[in-house]
C-alpha cells in the first residue's frame, strides 16, 4: 500500500468525541475515496472527492459525518459525536483518472474504536 | 443499487489443492477488480478485468470476467499457505454511476500446510 498514507493507524475515542481521519493520496493522484469496513465484511463506499469538490457522497451517513479534500493538505474524514457503531476500519484510496486498468491504491486504514 | 455477491464466504483447504472463488451480480460493470487483504492492512489490487470473456493469469491465479460483464471468478491452482487471506472482488460502475467501487462481502481463504 505504499504511496497512500493514512493516519492515525489506530484511534480510540470516547462516545461523544470527534474523530478526524487523514489521508494523503499517492503523488499525482487527484481522486480520493473513503470506504468503511466492519469486521468480517467487505468495504462499503462512503464518499468520493476531488480537490475542493465532493463528487459523490451517496454512502455517507446523513448526520455527524463529513469529508473534505482541500487544495492543500490531506483529505479529512470527520466524525462528530462518535457512537459505538462507528467503530470500524476506515480506508482511503486514491486514483489518477478513471481507475480503469490501474485500479485503486489503498492506504493501510485507520482503525477507530469507540469506547 | 449495484450488488456483488461472493461465494463461498469461507474456504479452508490443504496445501496443493485448487480453489475457486465466485463473484456474481445482476448489474453490468465497466471493470471488475480482485483484491487481497491481509489482517490489519488495506486491500492490494491483484488484477483488473475489463472485457467480457477476458481471462488473465497471474502465476497460479486465473481470473475470468463473464461474457456479460456481470460476474467473475478467481481460481488458484496448487494453493500454498502464503495464499491465505481475504479475497475481495470489486466492480467499477459504468461511467454514469461514477468511479466508486462496489465490493463483494469477501472470501476468507485458509490454506493449511
Amino acid at each position: 500500500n505504499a504511496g497512500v498514507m493514512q493516519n492515525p493507524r489506530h484511534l480510540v475515542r470516547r462516545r461523544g468525541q470527534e474523530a478526524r481521519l487523514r489521508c494523503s493520496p499517492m503523488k499525482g493522484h487527484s481522486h480520493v475515496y473513503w470506504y468503511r469496513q466492519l469486521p468480517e465484511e467487505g468495504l462499503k463506499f462512503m464518499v468520493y472527492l476531488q480537490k475542493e469538490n465532493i463528487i459523490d457522497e451517496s454512502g455517507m451517513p446523513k448526520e455527524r459525518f463529513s469529508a473534505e479534500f482541500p487544495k492543500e493538505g490531506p483529505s479529512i474524514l470527520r466524525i462528530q459525536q462518535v457512537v459505538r457503531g462507528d467503530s470500524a476500519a476506515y480506508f482511503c484510496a486514491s486514483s489518477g483518472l478513471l481507475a480503469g486498468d490501474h485500479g485503486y491504491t489503498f492506504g493501510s486504514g485507520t482503525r477507530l474504536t469507540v469506547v | 443499487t449495484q450488488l456483488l455477491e461472493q461465494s463461498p464466504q469461507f474456504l479452508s483447504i490443504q496445501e496443493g489443492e485448487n480453489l475457486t472463488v465466485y463473484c456474481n451480480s445482476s448489474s453490468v460493470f465497466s471493470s471488475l477488480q480482485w483484491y487481497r487483504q491481509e489482517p490489519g492492512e488495506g486491500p492490494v489490487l491483484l488484477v483488473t478485468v475489463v472485457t467480457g470473456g477476458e481471462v488473465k493469469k497471474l502465476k497460479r491465479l486465473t481470473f475470468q470476467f463473464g461474457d456479460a460483464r456481470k460476474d467473475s471468478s478467481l481460481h488458484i491452482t496448487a494453493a500454498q499457505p502464503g495464499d491465505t487471506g481475504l479475497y475481495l472482488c470489486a466492480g467499477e460502475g459504468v461511467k454514469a454511476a461514477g468511479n466508486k467501487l462496489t465490493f463483494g462481502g469477501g472470501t476468507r481463504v485458509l490454506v493449511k500446510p
Side-chain angles (χ1 to χ4, degrees), chain B residues 69-83:
Chain B
R69 288 160 48 215
K70 294 181 179 181
D71 53 84
S72 181
S73 64
L74 157 62
H75 182 79
I76 302 179
T77 303
Q80 299 175 0
D83 296 325

Side-chain angles (χ1 to χ4, degrees), chain B residues 10-101:
Chain B
F10 180 73
L11 201 51
S12 177
I13 59 172
Q14 292 295 136
E15 181 177 1
E17 293 182 337
N18 302 332
L19 68 97
T20 302
V21 178
Y22 300 93
C23 182
N24 296 294
S25 175
S26 58
S27 303
V28 175
F29 293 97
S30 60
S31 75
L32 205 298
Q33 301 168 16
W34 284 92
Y35 292 82
R36 183 173 150 202
Q37 185 178 21
E38 301 283 353
E41 296 295 331
V44 175
L45 179 69
L46 295 174
V47 78
T48 301
V49 285
V50 178
T51 307
E54 182 177 5
V55 177
K56 280 192 175 179
K57 292 194 174 186
L58 187 67
K59 295 184 181 178
R60 293 177 295 101
L61 278 61
T62 302
F63 304 86
Q64 187 163 8
F65 201 12
D67 290 339
R69 288 160 48 215
K70 294 181 179 181
D71 53 84
S72 181
S73 64
L74 157 62
H75 182 79
I76 302 179
T77 303
Q80 299 175 0
D83 296 325
T84 293
L86 178 66
Y87 290 84
L88 297 160
C89 66
E92 183 178 14
V94 295
K95 193 171 183 180
N99 297 347
K100 64 188 179 189
L101 291 177

Side-chain angles (χ1 to χ4, degrees), chain A residues 1 9 31 33 35 37 40-45 48 50 56 58 91 97-109 111, chain B residues 31 33 35 37-45 48-50 56 86 88 92 95 97-106 108:
Chain A
N1 296 326
R9 287 293 301 270
H31 301 236
Y33 313 81
Y35 290 82
Q37 185 177 35
E40 304 302 319
E41 292 189 9
L43 282 74
K44 298 283 192 263
F45 169 78
Y48 162 37
Q50 294 177 20
D56 182 348
S58 58
F91 291 97
L97 298 176
L98 281 177
D101 283 340
H102 304 291
Y104 298 73
T105 301
F106 280 86
S108 296
R111 276 140 195 89
Chain B
S31 75
Q33 301 168 16
Y35 292 82
Q37 185 178 21
E38 301 283 353
E41 296 295 331
V44 175
L45 179 69
T48 301
V49 285
V50 178
K56 280 192 175 179
L86 178 66
L88 297 160
E92 183 178 14
K95 193 171 183 180
N99 297 347
K100 64 188 179 189
L101 291 177
T102 299
F103 278 85
R108 191 162 296 280

